[in-house]
């Protein structure tokens, strides 16, 4: 999922994924809709394959009621789509799928307050701790942490490459448990900061 306001490079003709009245519903634009670790897990799960609430609950080890609640919130925000149905005890249940381009609904930073970003950062941190507890330490990973001053063109290029990497990861996501597939974790949060003068003001 990306909160970029333009489609990632390499997706010609990609159009914003907007449900009806998205522009009129303030909950759609608020990043706080993502500020829950289980919602982040659901978006990751539903990138590789469509699931019903019951199926997703079994994979994630959660109650169906809890997963259903969070799926409804994500669906209302336009971040997951109902893409089919599955038969359940003589009835039917919706199956949901996440389109990473739906992150465009979250809008640009100009539409978000710092409190929304702080709420999301808390959920990302909690989710990163959960994944790190399951890290395969016998396999090398990559880590970068930086608070640096950069030439504007260098920064623009870094943002472009980060979007491309995020697009690659989502585009090639496979259903959980696919034989031979690598279970991988990736968290990228790149943003500009206020200058020292702006921070003091």
């Amino acid at each position: 999922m990306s909160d970029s306001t333009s489609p990632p490079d390499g997706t010609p003709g990609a159009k914003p994924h907007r449900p009806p009245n998205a522009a009129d519903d303030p909950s759609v634009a608020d990043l706080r809709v993502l500020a829950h670790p289980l919602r982040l897990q659901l978006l990751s799960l539903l990138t590789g394959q469509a699931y019903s609430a019951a199926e997703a609950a079994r994979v994630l080890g959660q109650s169906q009621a809890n997963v259903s609640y969070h799926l409804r919130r994500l669906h209302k925000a336009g971040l997951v789509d109902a893409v089919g149905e599955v038969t359940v005890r003589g009835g039917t249940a919706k199956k949901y799928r996440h389109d990473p381009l739906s992150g465009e609904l979250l809008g640009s930073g100009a539409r978000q307050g710092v409190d929304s970003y702080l709420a999301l950062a808390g959920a990302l941190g909690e989710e990163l701790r959960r994944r790190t507890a399951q890290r395969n330490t016998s396999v090398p990973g990559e880590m970068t942490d930086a608070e640096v001053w950069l030439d504007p063109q260098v920064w623009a290029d870094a943002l472009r490459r980060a979007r491309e990497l995020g697009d690659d990861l989502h585009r090639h996501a496979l259903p959980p448990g696919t034989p031979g597939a690598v279970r991988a974790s990736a968290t990228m949060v790149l943003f500009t900061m206020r200058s020292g003068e702006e921070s003091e003001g």
Side-chain angles (χ1 to χ4, degrees):
M1 192 274 308
S2 169
D3 71 345
S4 171
T5 55
S6 59
D9 293 345
T11 53
K15 295 178 180 170
H17 171 99
R18 294 189 178 278
N21 76 355
D24 301 324
D25 185 353
S27 69
V28 169
D30 196 333
L31 277 171
R32 281 175 288 196
V33 72
L34 298 177
H36 192 289
L38 181 54
R39 293 180 195 170
L40 297 176
Q41 291 178 49
L42 282 167
L43 291 181
S44 291
L45 179 68
L46 299 174
T47 298
Q49 180 175 315
Y51 286 91
S52 68
E55 291 168 335
R58 283 194 293 272
V59 173
L60 298 177
Q62 298 283 333
S63 72
Q64 182 176 341
N66 195 27
V67 168
S68 293
Y69 168 77
H70 290 292
L71 274 176
R72 286 195 301 272
R73 293 293 303 273
L74 292 169
H75 185 253
K76 180 181 178 182
L79 297 174
V80 298
D81 293 317
V83 295
E85 294 183 336
V86 61
T87 302
V88 180
R89 299 193 190 106
T92 59
K94 293 180 180 178
K95 297 189 75 141
Y96 295 92
R97 187 80 187 256
H98 171 54
D99 176 2
L101 290 179
S102 65
E104 296 164 20
L105 286 171
L106 299 173
S108 66
R111 296 175 62 189
Q112 305 291 342
V114 70
D115 287 345
S116 295
Y117 283 107
L118 286 170
L120 177 56
L124 287 170
E126 188 171 334
E127 180 62 359
L128 182 57
R129 284 190 292 272
R130 181 193 68 83
R131 295 181 196 169
T132 301
Q134 301 177 52
R135 179 170 182 158
N136 181 352
T137 57
S138 68
V139 180
E142 293 292 337
M143 188 195 82
T144 299
D145 178 69
E147 181 181 336
V148 293
W149 295 71
L150 298 171
D151 178 275
Q153 188 54 52
V154 172
W155 175 238
D157 187 54
L159 289 175
R160 177 187 58 77
R161 286 183 286 137
R163 282 193 295 270
E164 290 174 352
L165 176 57
D167 181 48
D168 281 346
L169 292 172
H170 287 95
R171 184 162 19 98
H172 296 291
L174 300 171
T178 297
V182 175
R183 185 184 182 199
S185 173
T187 302
M188 292 188 295
V189 183
L190 286 73
F191 53 89
T192 56
M193 301 173 68
R194 294 189 298 269
S195 68
E197 293 78 9
E198 292 173 315
S199 297
E200 293 168 4

